[in-house]
Amino acid sequence: MPLDQAPYIDYDDNEEEKGEKEMTFIEHLEELRWHIIRSVAAILVFMIIAWFSMSFIFKNIILGPASPDFWTYRKLCELGNLVGIQSLCVDKLNFSLMSREVSGQFMMALTASAIIGLLFAFPYVFWEIWRFIKPGLKITEKKAATGSVFYVTALFFIGVLFGYYIVAPFAINFLVNFQIDPSIENQFDIQSYISILATLTLACGVTFQLPMAILVLTKIGVVTPAFLKEYRKHSIVVILIVAAIITPSPDMISQIVVAIPLYFLYEVSIVVSQRIYKQKLQEAE
């Protein structure tokens, strides 16, 4: 056939052929190296932006849950006034923050910049990881994973927001207002405060990936919808344990607040598993 009459081959239709093209070990390492370099560069860009905005970030975001005027506390007080439970209002957080090291504030600003840089660069970093993995997948697996970057990113940020606005305020409020004796003053190091805040928000972002984890496990045949339904009661115990690990405060309210959305995500995971399992059966037929 003459070249001018050759059929046009679309890029997407030729993806499987490209994905099956073998690469040497050195070529794989080189490809991985550039994905890592671009990911680190994206994190550094957001770190620099966060560094120059650190005064605003510390005052309005990081120290937000440490103020009685925080959005969560105000909404909780409105709920308390509505149902007639005035004790829900947070009038004062009984603690003060201190920096006990010469380089304490500088290191905290650097740490906060790194965490914020990682948070905002997460969609791009995951996209780079996906670009590295994607060529090794079959065309059917690529179709099944369509939109995975969007769903993983959305679930991650929903989890982070849930941790920041729900879990962290409840935990901080309980911990700072707990006193063995009124004569003992709560003076916490800024490193301890940021550590708790970052741990709670990031942990929620990771645990909210449960539906995507179940999707992958169903795809590779590790779990089935029947398995998830059979062990639904057992999952409640596991979820409560995970909630207790995520929340540093021993109060049941904080743990229940975390456990409820996790159980909801478990039910969503069952629906996701059913869809993937049904697709596998159709492909097998």
Side-chain angles (χ1 to χ4, degrees):
M1 181 182 295
L3 290 177
D4 58 348
Q5 297 180 6
Y8 170 72
I9 301 178
D10 185 67
Y11 175 81
D12 293 333
D13 295 332
N14 202 32
E15 275 189 341
E16 186 175 11
E17 182 180 344
K18 287 187 177 183
E20 293 176 355
K21 183 180 178 181
E22 294 185 359
M23 296 176 63
T24 64
F25 179 71
I26 300 299
E27 288 175 335
H28 276 294
L29 287 180
E30 180 66 15
E31 186 73 15
L32 178 61
R33 184 172 74 91
W34 281 107
H35 285 297
I36 294 175
I37 289 175
R38 287 191 291 266
S39 299
V40 172
I43 295 173
L44 288 175
V45 168
F46 284 105
M47 277 185 63
I48 294 171
I49 296 173
W51 177 267
F52 287 103
S53 307
M54 190 50 57
S55 178
F56 173 83
I57 291 172
F58 250 91
K59 181 179 179 180
N60 297 281
I61 298 177
I62 296 178
L63 297 180
S67 172
D69 293 331
F70 188 58
W71 181 85
T72 304
Y73 301 140
R74 288 189 281 108
K75 294 302 177 182
L76 194 62
C77 188
E78 291 177 5
L79 177 62
N81 293 331
L82 184 64
V83 298
I85 305 177
Q86 300 299 325
S87 59
L88 290 177
C89 293
V90 178
D91 299 323
K92 181 182 179 181
L93 294 173
N94 188 28
F95 78 109
S96 60
L97 293 174
M98 303 181 66
S99 178
R100 294 183 173 87
E101 298 179 5
V102 176
S103 61
Q105 295 196 44
F106 174 80
M107 292 305 299
M108 281 304 96
L110 189 62
T111 302
S113 298
I115 295 173
I116 293 172
L118 180 61
L119 283 175
F120 282 95
F122 177 82
Y124 181 80
V125 172
F126 184 78
W127 181 66
E128 286 289 349
I129 296 173
W130 171 244
R131 287 180 61 197
F132 179 73
I133 298 174
K134 186 177 179 180
L137 302 178
K138 296 179 181 179
I139 190 67
T140 54
E141 293 173 338
K142 293 176 185 178
K143 290 181 179 179
T146 301
S148 59
V149 176
F150 170 78
Y151 291 117
V152 168
T153 301
L155 287 172
F156 178 76
F157 280 113
I158 291 173
V160 167
L161 291 174
F162 178 79
Y164 178 75
Y165 282 103
I166 305 298
V167 180
F170 275 93
I172 291 172
N173 180 42
F174 175 83
L175 292 174
V176 302
N177 287 321
F178 179 82
Q179 284 185 313
I180 300 175
D181 188 271
S183 62
I184 302 175
E185 296 182 2
N186 289 327
Q187 296 180 344
F188 305 128
D189 190 84
I190 184 66
Q191 296 181 4
S192 175
Y193 172 81
I194 292 181
S195 176
I196 289 179
L197 183 62
T199 300
L200 291 175
T201 53
L202 292 177
C204 289
V206 172
T207 53
F208 269 55
Q209 300 298 322
L210 179 62
M212 296 304 298
I214 295 297
L215 184 149
V216 174
L217 293 175
T218 304
K219 193 65 182 177
I220 63 179
V222 175
V223 299
T224 62
F227 175 85
L228 296 174
K229 292 178 180 179
E230 181 180 357
Y231 288 92
R232 181 184 272 120
K233 294 181 180 179
H234 301 79
S235 70
I236 297 175
V237 178
V238 176
I239 287 172
L240 289 174
I241 294 174
V242 172
I245 295 173
I246 292 176
T247 55
S249 57
D251 64 307
M252 290 298 297
I253 296 179
S254 299
Q255 295 174 10
I256 293 174
V257 167
V258 175
I260 290 175
L262 287 181
Y263 181 75
F264 173 75
L265 289 173
Y266 185 84
E267 294 294 336
V268 172
S269 300
I270 294 177
V271 177
V272 172
S273 181
Q274 287 176 333
R275 293 186 59 183
I276 298 300
Y277 190 73
K278 185 177 180 181
Q279 290 177 0
K280 288 182 64 179
L281 292 178
Q282 291 176 348
E283 292 174 2
E285 293 176 356

